[in-house]
Amino acid sequence: MSQSVNSGRLFNASCFALITTAFSFSIRAGILPQLGTEFNLTAEQLGFINSMWFFGFPLAMIIGGLVYHTIGPKTIMQVAFVCHAIGIIMTIYSGGYTGLLISTFLIGVGNGCTEAACNPMIADSYEGLQMSKMLNRFHMWFPGGIVVGSLISKFMTDANLGWQAQIWVILIPTIIYAFLFWGQAFPKPHVDGVTSIGENLKAMASPLFIFIFVCMAFTAISEFGPQQWTGLIMSKSGASPMLILALVTGLMAITRFFAHPIVAAIGQTGILWGSSILAAAGIYLFSTVTGPAAYAAAVIFAMGVALFWPTMIGFVAQNVPLSGALGMSIVGGIGMFSTAIWQPVIGKWLDDAKAEKLAAGLTGDEMELAAGQATLSTMVMFPALLIVAFAILYFWMKGRKTVATSSAAVH
């Protein structure tokens, strides 16, 4: 007699796995200054360490998406646990730059496996509106987990607890999700025509998919760029960097939870266009304000980036349905690859800005703040490009809908 599937336990395990991902993002952002000091690393080197998280993530996500129907979510999550555990322990005992690169890559692989296994597993566990509800609640735990991780990092740093102790915290949700998954039966995947790789690739050759693919590279870095560098860039602004990160991700979690009426009111393309405008405004304000005003900038930035990622994935699912799970994995993957590629570039911008401000006679905190704000002002270009791109998409899709309506009326 086959074992029954405990959908509730699998869902809870998936949420703790995503919390592990969120902790690895937020706590690492919080300890960047400590890592730089202890190992005498430049901002560019810290950028390369950050990029390993974003390289491992999409690599595992895309490979996991390709083999999901072959090996199943159980094996993929076993790989996730091994990579998370080894990556966390190796980070603590890394001893320097090379060890941090490898350990961060392994954690990124574990995170990518989590996305590759849990999204389709939850979809296979529920149906209809319940499936949509549970997927939204699952994704809420990435920004939600970042809030918790950010606060933990701030309080531990303020208490003069070392960065190693903070990394040990990431192991807690890792052990919990491993326990919850242990011995469980997993749902059988729904295999239908849309899982044909040939059909997926044909659908991904369409102009609309290619357009979204390119835009995703900029939406991802618009969201993750400022967040990952908050600790270093905002540390001299008079506002708490980790409180800013917690505020941003907390608002993102709430916005995602209540996203349905927003989508119903202005549509996916309206959300993308409006989000790019708010994101550009938020990053620009980050580059100009100090003190408590930075928290107001954080609210605007959060409203801008909150719905970028789920709306991009949802747009592909709705408008390029034959791309299937692989199409969604590819779009998510390019977002992470883009973020990985830009991390050392942003680090180099920060190093160059510091050198420029030193040459201009600035020193100490004044130099750090000026360099950080100059770097943020350069980052405004990411959402600025999207304002134009999503305006084109908005009217393009509106035109397609008008043509489709007219054609239906004629027939």
PDB file of all heavy atoms in Angstrom, residues 355-372:
ATOM      1  N   ALA A 355      37.741  55.982  -4.498  1.00  0.00           N
ATOM      2  CA  ALA A 355      38.999  56.571  -4.954  1.00  0.00           C
ATOM      3  C   ALA A 355      38.783  58.002  -5.439  1.00  0.00           C
ATOM      4  O   ALA A 355      39.583  58.909  -5.153  1.00  0.00           O
ATOM      5  CB  ALA A 355      39.597  55.712  -6.072  1.00  0.00           C
ATOM      6  N   GLU A 356      37.673  58.211  -6.140  1.00  0.00           N
ATOM      7  CA  GLU A 356      37.354  59.545  -6.664  1.00  0.00           C
ATOM      8  C   GLU A 356      37.092  60.529  -5.528  1.00  0.00           C
ATOM      9  O   GLU A 356      37.568  61.684  -5.555  1.00  0.00           O
ATOM     10  CB  GLU A 356      36.117  59.445  -7.562  1.00  0.00           C
ATOM     11  CG  GLU A 356      35.725  60.765  -8.221  1.00  0.00           C
ATOM     12  CD  GLU A 356      34.488  60.621  -9.089  1.00  0.00           C
ATOM     13  OE1 GLU A 356      34.306  59.550  -9.708  1.00  0.00           O
ATOM     14  OE2 GLU A 356      33.688  61.576  -9.131  1.00  0.00           O
ATOM     15  N   LYS A 357      36.344  60.086  -4.504  1.00  0.00           N
ATOM     16  CA  LYS A 357      36.029  60.978  -3.380  1.00  0.00           C
ATOM     17  C   LYS A 357      37.267  61.266  -2.523  1.00  0.00           C
ATOM     18  O   LYS A 357      37.429  62.380  -2.012  1.00  0.00           O
ATOM     19  CB  LYS A 357      34.921  60.366  -2.515  1.00  0.00           C
ATOM     20  CG  LYS A 357      33.609  60.111  -3.259  1.00  0.00           C
ATOM     21  CD  LYS A 357      33.081  61.354  -3.952  1.00  0.00           C
ATOM     22  CE  LYS A 357      31.803  61.052  -4.739  1.00  0.00           C
ATOM     23  NZ  LYS A 357      31.326  62.242  -5.508  1.00  0.00           N
ATOM     24  N   LEU A 358      38.141  60.265  -2.390  1.00  0.00           N
ATOM     25  CA  LEU A 358      39.403  60.490  -1.671  1.00  0.00           C
ATOM     26  C   LEU A 358      40.257  61.521  -2.399  1.00  0.00           C
ATOM     27  O   LEU A 358      40.868  62.403  -1.779  1.00  0.00           O
ATOM     28  CB  LEU A 358      40.176  59.171  -1.530  1.00  0.00           C
ATOM     29  CG  LEU A 358      39.685  58.202  -0.448  1.00  0.00           C
ATOM     30  CD1 LEU A 358      40.386  56.857  -0.592  1.00  0.00           C
ATOM     31  CD2 LEU A 358      39.924  58.789   0.952  1.00  0.00           C
ATOM     32  N   ALA A 359      40.284  61.405  -3.737  1.00  0.00           N
ATOM     33  CA  ALA A 359      41.060  62.348  -4.548  1.00  0.00           C
ATOM     34  C   ALA A 359      40.494  63.761  -4.441  1.00  0.00           C
ATOM     35  O   ALA A 359      41.220  64.756  -4.574  1.00  0.00           O
ATOM     36  CB  ALA A 359      41.069  61.899  -6.003  1.00  0.00           C
ATOM     37  N   ALA A 360      39.157  63.828  -4.164  1.00  0.00           N
ATOM     38  CA  ALA A 360      38.512  65.140  -4.031  1.00  0.00           C
ATOM     39  C   ALA A 360      38.682  65.713  -2.639  1.00  0.00           C
ATOM     40  O   ALA A 360      38.195  66.812  -2.345  1.00  0.00           O
ATOM     41  CB  ALA A 360      37.025  65.017  -4.369  1.00  0.00           C
ATOM     42  N   GLY A 361      39.371  64.976  -1.756  1.00  0.00           N
ATOM     43  CA  GLY A 361      39.672  65.485  -0.430  1.00  0.00           C
ATOM     44  C   GLY A 361      38.744  65.013   0.672  1.00  0.00           C
ATOM     45  O   GLY A 361      38.896  65.421   1.835  1.00  0.00           O
ATOM     46  N   LEU A 362      37.769  64.147   0.344  1.00  0.00           N
ATOM     47  CA  LEU A 362      36.869  63.638   1.372  1.00  0.00           C
ATOM     48  C   LEU A 362      37.532  62.476   2.112  1.00  0.00           C
ATOM     49  O   LEU A 362      38.298  61.710   1.532  1.00  0.00           O
ATOM     50  CB  LEU A 362      35.553  63.157   0.749  1.00  0.00           C
ATOM     51  CG  LEU A 362      34.715  64.216   0.015  1.00  0.00           C
ATOM     52  CD1 LEU A 362      33.432  63.590  -0.530  1.00  0.00           C
ATOM     53  CD2 LEU A 362      34.373  65.380   0.933  1.00  0.00           C
ATOM     54  N   THR A 363      37.220  62.344   3.392  1.00  0.00           N
ATOM     55  CA  THR A 363      37.786  61.250   4.188  1.00  0.00           C
ATOM     56  C   THR A 363      36.726  60.694   5.139  1.00  0.00           C
ATOM     57  O   THR A 363      35.671  61.306   5.340  1.00  0.00           O
ATOM     58  CB  THR A 363      38.986  61.732   5.032  1.00  0.00           C
ATOM     59  OG1 THR A 363      38.555  62.802   5.880  1.00  0.00           O
ATOM     60  CG2 THR A 363      40.135  62.199   4.147  1.00  0.00           C
ATOM     61  N   GLY A 364      37.010  59.545   5.727  1.00  0.00           N
ATOM     62  CA  GLY A 364      36.165  58.957   6.765  1.00  0.00           C
ATOM     63  C   GLY A 364      34.739  58.702   6.326  1.00  0.00           C
ATOM     64  O   GLY A 364      34.467  58.317   5.180  1.00  0.00           O
ATOM     65  N   ASP A 365      33.801  58.943   7.252  1.00  0.00           N
ATOM     66  CA  ASP A 365      32.387  58.679   6.986  1.00  0.00           C
ATOM     67  C   ASP A 365      31.849  59.513   5.828  1.00  0.00           C
ATOM     68  O   ASP A 365      30.996  59.064   5.061  1.00  0.00           O
ATOM     69  CB  ASP A 365      31.559  58.966   8.246  1.00  0.00           C
ATOM     70  CG  ASP A 365      31.794  57.932   9.330  1.00  0.00           C
ATOM     71  OD1 ASP A 365      32.532  56.962   9.066  1.00  0.00           O
ATOM     72  OD2 ASP A 365      31.246  58.102  10.445  1.00  0.00           O
ATOM     73  N   GLU A 366      32.347  60.755   5.719  1.00  0.00           N
ATOM     74  CA  GLU A 366      31.891  61.630   4.630  1.00  0.00           C
ATOM     75  C   GLU A 366      32.232  61.016   3.278  1.00  0.00           C
ATOM     76  O   GLU A 366      31.412  61.022   2.348  1.00  0.00           O
ATOM     77  CB  GLU A 366      32.545  63.008   4.771  1.00  0.00           C
ATOM     78  CG  GLU A 366      32.005  64.042   3.787  1.00  0.00           C
ATOM     79  CD  GLU A 366      32.683  65.389   3.919  1.00  0.00           C
ATOM     80  OE1 GLU A 366      33.754  65.464   4.571  1.00  0.00           O
ATOM     81  OE2 GLU A 366      32.157  66.374   3.357  1.00  0.00           O
ATOM     82  N   MET A 367      33.428  60.462   3.152  1.00  0.00           N
ATOM     83  CA  MET A 367      33.844  59.814   1.913  1.00  0.00           C
ATOM     84  C   MET A 367      33.004  58.562   1.642  1.00  0.00           C
ATOM     85  O   MET A 367      32.543  58.335   0.517  1.00  0.00           O
ATOM     86  CB  MET A 367      35.332  59.446   1.993  1.00  0.00           C
ATOM     87  CG  MET A 367      35.890  58.751   0.752  1.00  0.00           C
ATOM     88  SD  MET A 367      35.617  56.949   0.724  1.00  0.00           S
ATOM     89  CE  MET A 367      36.672  56.440   2.090  1.00  0.00           C
ATOM     90  N   GLU A 368      32.780  57.744   2.694  1.00  0.00           N
ATOM     91  CA  GLU A 368      32.011  56.506   2.544  1.00  0.00           C
ATOM     92  C   GLU A 368      30.593  56.803   2.058  1.00  0.00           C
ATOM     93  O   GLU A 368      30.069  56.126   1.164  1.00  0.00           O
ATOM     94  CB  GLU A 368      31.962  55.750   3.875  1.00  0.00           C
ATOM     95  CG  GLU A 368      33.307  55.227   4.364  1.00  0.00           C
ATOM     96  CD  GLU A 368      33.759  53.973   3.623  1.00  0.00           C
ATOM     97  OE1 GLU A 368      32.971  53.423   2.835  1.00  0.00           O
ATOM     98  OE2 GLU A 368      34.908  53.542   3.848  1.00  0.00           O
ATOM     99  N   LEU A 369      29.961  57.806   2.656  1.00  0.00           N
ATOM    100  CA  LEU A 369      28.595  58.161   2.275  1.00  0.00           C
ATOM    101  C   LEU A 369      28.537  58.688   0.846  1.00  0.00           C
ATOM    102  O   LEU A 369      27.673  58.277   0.059  1.00  0.00           O
ATOM    103  CB  LEU A 369      28.037  59.208   3.247  1.00  0.00           C
ATOM    104  CG  LEU A 369      26.634  59.738   2.914  1.00  0.00           C
ATOM    105  CD1 LEU A 369      25.618  58.603   2.922  1.00  0.00           C
ATOM    106  CD2 LEU A 369      26.231  60.824   3.904  1.00  0.00           C
ATOM    107  N   ALA A 370      29.449  59.581   0.497  1.00  0.00           N
ATOM    108  CA  ALA A 370      29.450  60.164  -0.851  1.00  0.00           C
ATOM    109  C   ALA A 370      29.675  59.081  -1.911  1.00  0.00           C
ATOM    110  O   ALA A 370      29.019  59.082  -2.967  1.00  0.00           O
ATOM    111  CB  ALA A 370      30.526  61.240  -0.954  1.00  0.00           C
ATOM    112  N   ALA A 371      30.590  58.163  -1.634  1.00  0.00           N
ATOM    113  CA  ALA A 371      30.867  57.080  -2.588  1.00  0.00           C
ATOM    114  C   ALA A 371      29.672  56.148  -2.726  1.00  0.00           C
ATOM    115  O   ALA A 371      29.310  55.731  -3.837  1.00  0.00           O
ATOM    116  CB  ALA A 371      32.095  56.289  -2.131  1.00  0.00           C
ATOM    117  N   GLY A 372      29.034  55.834  -1.597  1.00  0.00           N
ATOM    118  CA  GLY A 372      27.864  54.956  -1.635  1.00  0.00           C
ATOM    119  C   GLY A 372      26.718  55.577  -2.409  1.00  0.00           C
ATOM    120  O   GLY A 372      26.069  54.914  -3.225  1.00  0.00           O
TER     121      GLY A 372
END
